[in-house]
Amino acid sequence: QVQPVESGGGSVQAGGSLTLSCTVSRNVYCWYDMHWYRQGPGKEREFVSGFASDGSTTYADSVKGRFTISLDNAKSTEITVYLQMSSLQPEDTAMYHCKATRRCGNTRAENWGQGTQVTVSS
């Protein structure tokens, strides 16, 4: 499927951990940049973390040292990106969305997943 599919959200207490995953179908002739964003209640959508096609990773300052992004591209038919979240805090409560940016030759396309909810209670 072109649209990424997220999973792994849930409810945890502060200090807990969750691992989110996002899977998108893959064209082996294309390059993929995968990103996680989140939108908390009453807030704008914000960048969380990214895994670029060159293997570089980026993090928002608010999650550095607590979140780890990784990617599994062993399968020729799909790519899965993970977001390991630890030391979760109530302010991490949000809908987490995955964005897949596909670059094939001169074309570029972005596809967003529908999101997975993370709720952290104090």
Side-chain angles (χ1 to χ4, degrees):
Q1 62 283 0
V2 177
Q3 183 181 29
V5 178
E6 304 99 331
S7 63
S11 297
V12 295
Q13 292 197 328
S17 301
L18 282 173
T19 297
L20 308 182
S21 63
C22 167
T23 299
V24 65
S25 61
R26 174 187 184 186
N27 181 331
V28 296
Y29 298 106
C30 301
W31 299 95
Y32 292 82
D33 299 320
M34 304 293 291
H35 294 85
W36 285 99
Y37 286 76
R38 67 185 181 186
Q39 187 167 15
K43 297 181 180 179
E44 302 268 329
R45 183 175 291 186
E46 64 176 358
F47 166 78
V48 176
S49 183
F51 197 112
S53 56
D54 64 1
S56 61
T57 58
T58 50
Y59 296 92
D61 287 343
S62 59
V63 306
K64 279 182 183 176
R66 300 188 300 123
F67 291 11
T68 302
I69 192 169
S70 60
L71 186 139
D72 180 358
N73 60 3
K75 294 182 180 179
S76 61
T77 57
E78 64 185 26
I79 289 174
T80 298
V81 63
Y82 300 96
L83 187 68
Q84 296 174 271
M85 307 184 295
S86 60
S87 301
L88 284 163
Q89 299 301 315
E91 51 266 34
D92 295 314
T93 294
M95 181 71 79
Y96 284 70
H97 294 271
C98 175
K99 182 182 76 170
T101 303
R102 184 179 76 249
R103 291 177 286 117
C104 306
N106 294 324
T107 66
R108 182 177 180 274
E110 288 184 355
N111 290 281
W112 289 84
Q114 294 198 342
T116 185
Q117 178 68 39
V118 172
T119 302
V120 185
S121 58
S122 56

